Amino acid sequence: MIVVDAANVVGARADGWWRDRAGAARRLLAELAAAALPEEVVVVLEGAARAALDGTEYAGVRLVAAPGSGDDTIVEVAAAGTDVTVVTADRELRRRVEAVGARTAGPRALLDRLG
């Protein structure tokens, strides 16, 4: 399973997507759906990016709205899964998910897979 910290992934893009969090999240979700990755993909949306939860379906992508801290939600999702990789640039979040047995990867690794 890949758990995507959407806020960090869209913020890692050089093209300024992060200025519109909801729009950036929608574009990321569309890219993930089009990529049809072999792993289960879970995307955690927090803050303004939650507006991407507008009823649109993204094939192969499970969306999770963080009620508060996206980091807390990501740790919960990672702890509940098996064979989990969390994609984030947040060093503190990496430490927390590694403590529950998940692996971590930086946003560039995912963005490179998406092309």
Side-chain angles (χ1 to χ4, degrees), residues 51-86:
L53 297 167
D54 59 7
T56 303
E57 296 284 327
Y58 297 95
V61 180
R62 179 166 53 110
L63 307 178
V64 175
S69 166
D71 290 2
D72 291 344
T73 302
I74 290 166
V75 172
E76 289 173 15
V77 171
T82 57
D83 194 25
V84 177
T85 299
V86 174

